[in-house]
């Protein structure tokens, strides 16, 4: 079928499936990074389609901060069971206990950046040579610099000025010993594309994405859910608000948005009228103008 007869979602799906099959062809020990969020849920569905009727050949690797929303972990386990996938979990808590990284100080320590050490240790331990991720170029300006095949050196570092050309859907996965690749099949997708695909495929998602009542505090313009992982500061008053989450991550830095969207159709309508990106509610991205790029250069997702 000519690509001219395909819907834009079908074209994005075909492109992502092609990239996944390239990974399976070029690498010996690939893995799929899985957080339980909407993008990684779409990645699992694409992997199922790419390798059907066989099971997808990637383990699902979750780098667990220990500061997760319980809805996300419950959904993760449910999806793994439903798909028959193999889940590999590595814990930031274990990295801290072993002295590989140090917990942040202060009343609201985030483990988001600490995931980098745990991820790189997991890649070295399990000898993964490619890690598929659900990052998209529309998420954040540093993400926009990524290629589909993102080369990482022997220290897991990313150099945005030294990337390989990707012409005519040709991907160069050659690497030296100790190096690896991060691969982003959803690079050309937008947040709207992800939600429309979830609706089209009738995919289950964590309830945290839908509108619900939750106690939150407003910290520097970010609505943080009141969890055991944050300290309510003097002058902050927890309030119960009708909210949902546009992105899922470490509970210490992932903000909610006020919303009444309780169905996929309502979420899609809300995203269509949004004037702030989904990562606009991520406190970790507000630490500096280059917060994401600095983390990525060090080996972040």
């Amino acid at each position: 079928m000519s690509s001219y007869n395909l819907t834009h979602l079908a074209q994005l799906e075909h492109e992502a499936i092609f990239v996944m099959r390239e990974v399976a062809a070029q690498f010996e020990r690939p893995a799929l990074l899985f957080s339980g969020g909407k993008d990684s849920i779409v990645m699992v569905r694409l992997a199922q389609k790419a390798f059907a009727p066989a099971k997808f050949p990637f383990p699902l690797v979750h780098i667990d901060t220990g500061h997760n929303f319980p809805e996300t972990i419950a959904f993760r386990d449910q999806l793994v069971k439903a798909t028959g996938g193999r889940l590999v979990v590595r814990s930031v808590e274990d990295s801290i206990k072993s002295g590989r990284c140090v917990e942040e100080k202060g009343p609201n320590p985030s483990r988001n950046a600490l995931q980098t050490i745990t991820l790189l240790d997991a890649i070295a331990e399990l000898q993964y040579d490619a890690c598929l991720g659900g990052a998209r170029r529309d998420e954040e300006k540093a993400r926009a610099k990524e290629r589909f095949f993102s080369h990482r050196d022997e220290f897991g570092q990313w150099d945005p000025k030294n990337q390989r050309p990707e012409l005519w859907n040709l991907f160069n996965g050659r690497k030296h010993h100790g190096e690896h690749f991060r691969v982003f099949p959803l690079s050309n997708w937008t947040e709207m594309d992800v939600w429309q695909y979830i609706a089209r495929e009738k995919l289950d998602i964590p309830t945290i994405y839908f509108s619900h009542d939750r106690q939150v505090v407003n910290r520097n313009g970010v609505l943080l859910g009141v969890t055991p992982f944050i300290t309510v500061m003097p002058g902050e008053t927890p309030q119960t608000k009708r909210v949902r989450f546009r992105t899922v991550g470490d509970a210490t830095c992932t903000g909610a948005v006020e919303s009444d969207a309780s169905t996929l159709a309502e979420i899609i309508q809300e995203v269509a009228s949004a004037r702030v990106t989904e990562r606009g509610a991520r406190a970790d991205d507000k630490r500096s103008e280059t917060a994401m790029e600095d983390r990525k250069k060090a080996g972040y997702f």
Side-chain angles (χ1 to χ4, degrees):
M1 180 183 292
S2 168
S3 62
Y4 294 109
N5 296 322
L6 298 176
T7 66
H8 83 285
L9 277 184
Q11 290 185 49
L12 289 170
E13 179 185 67
H14 284 227
E15 178 182 66
I17 286 174
F18 176 80
V19 172
M20 286 189 169
R21 289 173 176 168
E22 279 291 299
V23 169
Q26 293 195 41
F27 297 97
E28 295 182 2
R29 295 180 66 86
L32 196 159
L33 302 177
F34 184 77
S35 67
K38 64 184 185 305
D39 301 304
S40 54
I41 292 167
V42 167
M43 289 278 287
V44 170
R45 171 51 60 91
L46 292 167
Q48 288 177 307
K49 289 191 172 188
F51 302 101
K55 289 184 178 181
F56 50 86
F58 318 121
L60 303 178
V61 178
H62 182 210
I63 304 302
D64 183 3
T65 65
H67 290 171
N68 299 287
F69 293 101
E71 298 96 324
T72 307
I73 296 300
F75 182 86
R76 178 200 72 183
D77 296 341
Q78 171 191 325
L79 183 140
V80 169
K81 182 177 180 180
T83 61
R86 179 165 64 90
L87 178 65
V88 175
V89 179
R90 289 297 181 268
S91 169
V92 173
E93 180 71 30
D94 290 340
S95 298
I96 294 170
K97 288 179 178 178
S98 67
R100 289 286 295 143
C101 55
V102 179
E103 186 93 74
E104 286 187 353
K105 305 299 182 184
N108 188 32
S110 171
R111 292 181 174 179
N112 199 45
L114 302 186
Q115 294 177 90
T116 299
I117 296 297
T118 309
L119 172 60
L120 293 178
D121 285 351
I123 290 171
E125 173 199 351
L126 301 167
Q127 299 180 4
Y128 295 138
D129 52 3
C131 291
L132 292 132
R136 310 183 320 271
R137 292 185 181 128
D138 77 316
E139 288 182 86
E140 202 270 346
K141 58 188 177 183
R143 299 280 200 205
K145 299 179 182 180
E146 289 279 17
R147 302 288 172 86
F148 280 99
F149 275 38
S150 181
H151 174 263
R152 304 299 170 106
D153 66 18
E154 65 270 28
F155 301 106
Q157 297 173 325
W158 172 66
D159 181 0
K161 296 180 180 179
N162 185 25
Q163 299 191 76
R164 298 171 182 180
E166 294 181 343
L167 306 174
W168 306 292
N169 288 334
L170 297 176
F171 302 111
N172 183 354
R174 293 184 180 180
K175 59 179 180 56
H176 296 294
H177 179 73
E179 299 175 344
H180 71 278
F181 278 80
R182 308 288 171 83
V183 182
F184 304 108
L186 304 186
S187 288
N188 289 333
W189 295 52
T190 65
E191 182 186 11
M192 176 64 81
D193 295 328
V194 168
W195 284 117
Q196 289 179 333
Y197 190 78
I198 287 171
R200 192 192 84 173
E201 297 292 309
K202 299 180 173 60
L203 300 180
D204 291 330
I205 57 175
T207 58
I208 200 170
Y209 281 117
F210 296 109
S211 178
H212 59 284
D213 291 330
R214 183 180 291 262
Q215 272 210 323
V216 297
V217 293
N218 188 327
R219 182 166 298 169
N220 300 321
V222 176
L223 296 180
L224 293 177
V226 177
T227 67
F229 315 123
I230 74 165
T231 301
V232 177
M233 304 291 289
E236 292 181 336
T237 303
Q239 294 179 298
T240 299
K241 291 183 177 289
R242 192 78 174 163
V243 300
R244 73 176 192 88
F245 290 83
R246 290 176 69 185
T247 179
V248 170
D250 191 315
T252 62
C253 59
T254 304
V257 295
E258 293 190 68
S259 172
D260 290 318
S262 57
T263 66
L264 283 175
E266 290 172 346
I267 288 176
I268 290 170
Q269 183 177 7
E270 183 178 273
V271 170
S273 61
R275 293 296 177 265
V276 177
T277 67
E278 63 194 286
R279 293 193 70 93
R282 291 291 294 264
D284 51 329
D285 289 350
K286 298 178 184 293
R287 293 190 173 193
S288 75
E289 282 292 317
T290 60
M292 171 63 82
E293 184 160 334
D294 292 342
R295 292 200 305 272
K296 286 179 64 60
K297 286 179 179 178
Y300 188 71
F301 297 93

